[in-house]
Amino acid sequence: MATTRTARTAWEGNLLDGKGEVTLASSGIGTYPVSWPARSEQANGKTSPEELIAAAHSACFSMALSHGLAGAGNPPTKLDTQADVTFQPGTGITGIHLTVTGEVPGLDEAGFVKAAEDAKANCPVSQALTGTTITLTAKLA
């Protein structure tokens, strides 16, 4: 069965001086301020589309990697994933780098890297973001 998740943004003003709030409507867990300076300069307590993409990608990748490892008989004890989304004003998103460190009993480094590469290629968020370059660094703890 398919699911649909919803977020909403209310924006006031022009791009450079305006501001907005993005609401995670499906979960109801919060409303977060957004602005152009938070996106193109320093966050200063506000989020950005790129940070939200990074959150979605790190979570999806971790789920896909956990599932793949468990399916191969090596369930992870722990995965720590970071997604860095780079935004260049005037150009857009120029790349995403995933960094994952895992604790996976019974699996060697090569096996972990192979599983991580598979998760990177096949997690639904990676597939949705095929318009940008996604790179990966994977290692065991």
Side-chain angles (χ1 to χ4, degrees), residues 18 20 28 38 44-45 61 76-77 86 121 128:
N44 292 324
F61 171 84
T77 303
T86 301

Side-chain angles (χ1 to χ4, degrees), residues 10 13 22 27 29-30 43 46 56 69-70 76 94 104 111 117 126 129 137 141:
V22 61
S27 63
I29 62 172
K46 296 178 176 73
L69 289 166
T94 58
V104 187
E117 287 288 351
S126 287
L129 297 171
T137 300

Side-chain angles (χ1 to χ4, degrees), residues 11 20 29 55 78 82 86 98 136 140:
W11 186 267
I29 62 172
K78 182 178 180 182
Q82 178 172 314
T86 301
L98 297 169
L136 172 70
L140 291 172

Side-chain angles (χ1 to χ4, degrees), residues 50-63 65 78-86 95-102 112 116 120 123 126 134-139:
E50 291 72 30
E51 184 177 38
L52 297 170
I53 289 169
H57 205 177
S58 67
C60 183
F61 171 84
S62 294
M63 290 177 187
L65 180 53
K78 182 178 180 182
L79 298 173
D80 183 11
T81 304
Q82 178 172 314
D84 297 301
V85 177
T86 301
I96 300 170
H97 186 74
L98 297 169
T99 304
V100 61
T101 303
F112 182 69
K120 178 185 79 126
C123 92
S126 287
I134 302 170
T135 56
L136 172 70
T137 300
K139 65 180 180 179

